[in-house]
């Protein structure tokens, strides 16, 4: 037996798949193998960069089947297949996957049949489609003719050997083996080769329900990262959506089986990138000290977003971006889902919740009411006074490129139709191109212009969308809007059903602005519900209800655990507290009875005061009842007679503040988990379940079993 075959045998023993124990066993193949050959079942994958590494992720079963059907039809090379619930489009001819609602790098797509195991993470990597076809043809001949030990060379000069159907290995070439033109040889530990996705360890989901019942826009807080893993808002909302799909299957199973509900679609709204592409980062960099560079960069990129929002100039950019993005995505969503009949809600995390609160505060009560001319921004009043292209470029500090636009006879209307490739062809560098495109795209979106989307199906009903003159609403002087930055607040082209705030500093900002109390009769002009959801250790979160009912102290609503019970350590804490109170009451009662027995005769004044106490606590003075009976009877009437808590109409008469239950490990040290608590909402089942429960409750759909 050669050394190569010995290495192959040793490596096959370490592989989890069945392997032969001797060299002769390599040749033990069924003589009737020709009749056992079946074509391999393909599955579609896409490549994504995760932690600076290329990772191949399988499409869910539903999307992979649609892609395979489109591929097998062979009718349209340029066919576009929507995947991932319609959030991505796969251009079949290009083998590329594009995001629909947000900006994201396109990812490669493959029709995968053969895989090899990677070196570091032991995840299987698909071969290219062309080489997979070569492998499949070789495998078919080996099975049909019963001729194994087939050796193939991949395009990058790597060796694949097919010993038998259960043992196939992949060798990397020896370094420098091609210096003299010689064929590559095997070296190192071989990689395992697998045929068909069913033979590799990978999670493939079934897919998402096609029916969309409700649409939720999610707005992020400060900075480009939304959790401790420095993930973007898109990735965090993906987690939020995945948790919601799992909870729908477990807590709304009856409604799904009866086809009463489908799913809730969550779409992210990004305002950080447009804000920091206005050129402000360049201005900040000129005045930033060179010391502790990383900390200062982090401050400029995250914490300063709070100060930007308190600046009239950049606050206008932020609210314009948030509102225009939600309007744009909503229009695009209707175009791609013409049968959508559900409602829309909005959710904001941290500073994003404050942005949404201010936008909702400054909406008009009716979408049909138009603003007067004095309330409209200048871009809607007098087109003759709008800034010229030269003035816009000067504002972006790009005046040196005006000559290029003038030479090419490009005005503002023509520039609005230009793409990145067009600007590149006339000689505009990458940085200025991005600034120009983002600036004019933001201005165009705020004016209600719908960007053309060739992949979007036509036929959506747009009759309820306001005209562009209705997109802005002036500050209307409401008390709840006191202290707001004097900017023009854009109009939303829909009425949100519910507003969810996660880890929100709304209460703190309203207090700092000078608002001491929210009128109990106040409600958002266009939104019915408002839920302030927070973790008890979140350092950024503040309550809202004490501003509505300042004279009454009461606890927030405790969010039930998604498993239908209170966390064990909280139950234990409450039990110990209750037991200590009972012991304290019993001890005080016993001491009081003992004191009465010793002081009844000699102290008349004290006896008189004791008689008064007996009149209140013991109706029968000569009764010999134990004191613990009295202590048990006293608290009951207090609870029954406690008046109900009215927290105004901000949430339609319902409670506003809802607090999560901390985990057992978090209760050991509140400060240690403070930052994590502010970023915990994306993967919190309790938070997602509360959102789903309130959304479907408006449609008359309830949980399978009420949570306690």
């Amino acid at each position: 037996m050669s050394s190569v075959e010995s290495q192959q045998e040793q490596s096959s023993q370490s592989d989890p798949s069945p392997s032969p124990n001797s060299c002769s066993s390599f040749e033990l193949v069924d003589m009737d193998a020709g009749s056992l050959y079946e074509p391999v079942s393909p599955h579609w994958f896409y490549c994504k960069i995760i932690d600076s590494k290329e990772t191949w992720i399988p499409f869910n079963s539903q999307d992979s089947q649609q892609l395979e059907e489109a591929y097998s039809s062979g009718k349209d090379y340029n066919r576009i297949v929507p995947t991932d619930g319609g959030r991505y489009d796969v251009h079949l001819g290009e083998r590329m996957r594009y995001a629909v609602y947000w900006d994201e790098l396109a990812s490669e797509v493959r029709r995968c049949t053969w895989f090899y195991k990677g070196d570091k993470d032991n995840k299987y990597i698909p071969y290219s489609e062309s080489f997979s076809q070569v492998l499949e043809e070789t495998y078919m001949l080996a099975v049909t003719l019963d001729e194994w030990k087939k050796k193939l060379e991949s395009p990058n000069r790597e060796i694949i050997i097919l010993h038998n159907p259960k043992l196939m290995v992949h060798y990397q070439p020896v370094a420098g083996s091609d210096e003299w033109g010689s064929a590559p040889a095997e070296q190192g530990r071989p990689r395992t080769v697998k045929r068909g996705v069913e033979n590799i360890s990978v999670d493939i989901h079934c897919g998402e329900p096609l029916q969309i019942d409700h649409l939720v826009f999610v707005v992020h807080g400060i900075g480009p990262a939304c959790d401790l893993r420095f993930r973007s808002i898109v990735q965090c909302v993906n987690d939020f959506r995945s948790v919601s799909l799992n909870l729908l299957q477990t807590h709304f199973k009856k409604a799904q089986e009866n086809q009463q509900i489908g799913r809730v679609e969550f779409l992210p709204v990004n305002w950080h990138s447009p804000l920091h592409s206005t050129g402000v980062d360049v201005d900040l960099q000129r005045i930033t000290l060179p010391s502790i560079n990383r900390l200062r960069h982090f401050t400029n990129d995250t914490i300063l977003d709070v100060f930007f929002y308190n600046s009239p100039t950049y606050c206008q950019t932020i609210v314009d971006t948030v509102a225009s993005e939600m309007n744009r995505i909503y229009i695009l969503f209707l175009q791609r889902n013409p049968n959508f009949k559900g409602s829309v809600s909005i959710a904001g995390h941290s500073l994003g919740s404050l942005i949404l609160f201010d936008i909702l505060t400054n909406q008009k009560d009716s979408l049909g009411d138009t603003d007067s001319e004095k309330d409209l921004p200048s871009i809607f009043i007098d087109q003759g006074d709008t800034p010229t292209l030269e003035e816009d470029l000067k504002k972006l500090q790009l005046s040196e490129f005006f000559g290029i636009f003038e030479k090419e006879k490009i005005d503002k209307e023509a520039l609005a139709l230009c793409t990145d490739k067009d600007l590149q062809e006339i000689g505009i560098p990458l940085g200025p191109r991005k600034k120009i495109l983002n600036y004019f795209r933001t201005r165009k979106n705020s004016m209600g212009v719908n960007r053309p989307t060739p992949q979007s199906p036509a036929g959506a009903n747009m009759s309820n969308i306001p005209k562009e003159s209705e997109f802005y609403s002036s500050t209307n002087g409401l008390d709840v809007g006191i202290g707001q930055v004097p900017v023009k607040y854009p109009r939303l082209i829909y009425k949100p059903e519910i507003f969810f705030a996660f880890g929100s500093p709304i209460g703190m900002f309203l207090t700092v602005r000078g608002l001491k109390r929210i009128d109990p009769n106040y409600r958002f002009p266009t939104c019915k519900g408002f839920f302030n959801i927070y973790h008890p250790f979140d350092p950024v979160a503040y309550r809202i209800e004490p501003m509505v009912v300042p004279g009454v102290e009461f606890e927030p609503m405790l969010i039930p655990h998604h498993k239908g019970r209170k966390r064990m350590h909280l139950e234990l804490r409450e039990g110990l507290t209750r037991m200590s109170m009972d012991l304290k009451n019993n001890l005080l009662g016993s001491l009081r009875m003992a004191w009465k027995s010793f002081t009844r005769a000699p102290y008349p004044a004290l006896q008189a005061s004791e008689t008064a106490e007996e009149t209140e606590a013991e109706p029968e003075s000569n009764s010999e009842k134990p004191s613990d009976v009295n202590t048990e009877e006293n608290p009951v009437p207090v609870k029954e007679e406690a008046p109900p808590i009215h927290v105004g109409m901000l949430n339609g008469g319902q409670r506003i503040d809802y607090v999560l239950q901390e985990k057992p490990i978090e209760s050991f040290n509140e400060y240690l988990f403070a930052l994590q608590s502010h970023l915990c909402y994306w993967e919190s089942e309790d938070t997602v379940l509360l959102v789903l429960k309130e959304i479907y409750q408006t449609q008359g759909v309830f949980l399978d079993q009420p949570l306690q």
Side-chain angles (χ1 to χ4, degrees), residues 272-322:
H272 181 270
S273 299
L275 171 66
H276 288 262
S277 61
T278 58
V280 65
D281 287 352
V282 177
D283 298 335
L284 287 173
Q285 189 62 33
R286 290 199 299 264
I287 61 175
T288 301
L289 300 180
S291 58
I292 52 173
N293 183 45
R294 292 185 179 180
L295 179 59
R296 297 187 190 278
H297 176 73
F298 173 79
T299 302
N300 292 346
D301 209 28
T302 55
I303 300 177
L304 286 189
D305 286 347
V306 179
F307 297 94
F308 286 142
Y309 189 66
N310 288 315
S311 163
T313 301
Y314 296 106
C315 180
Q316 187 70 64
T317 302
I318 293 174
V319 296
D320 282 350
T321 302
V322 171

Side-chain angles (χ1 to χ4, degrees), residues 518-636:
I518 298 177
D519 189 341
N521 295 322
Y522 174 75
R523 65 179 68 189
F524 293 123
T526 60
C527 185
K528 300 177 182 178
F530 174 39
F531 290 85
N532 182 37
I533 304 169
Y534 61 91
H535 190 283
F537 303 155
D538 189 341
V540 181
Y542 289 82
R543 292 191 62 183
I544 299 293
E545 291 176 340
M547 299 190 69
V548 183
V549 191
V552 182
E553 293 186 4
F554 53 94
E555 297 294 326
M557 291 291 291
L558 187 67
I559 299 177
H561 194 270
H562 67 282
K563 293 184 178 180
R565 57 170 176 79
K566 188 175 292 186
R567 291 186 183 272
M568 186 177 298
H569 70 288
L570 296 179
E571 292 181 349
L572 179 61
R573 182 190 304 171
E574 288 184 359
L576 293 175
T577 302
R578 192 183 306 112
M579 185 174 62
S580 64
M581 291 298 298
D582 292 342
L583 290 175
K584 179 181 178 181
N585 291 336
N586 291 338
L587 179 60
L588 291 177
S590 300
L591 291 176
R592 184 172 56 185
M593 293 298 294
W595 180 258
K596 291 176 184 178
S597 63
F598 283 112
T599 61
R600 188 175 301 276
Y603 302 98
L606 185 58
Q607 186 176 0
S609 62
E610 290 169 358
T611 306
E613 291 181 3
E614 292 175 4
T615 305
E616 297 178 0
E618 301 178 8
E620 299 178 4
S621 58
N622 295 328
S623 175
E624 298 296 334
K625 293 181 180 180
S627 60
D628 57 346
V629 176
N630 293 329
T631 56
E632 291 180 0
E633 292 178 354
N634 285 336
V636 176

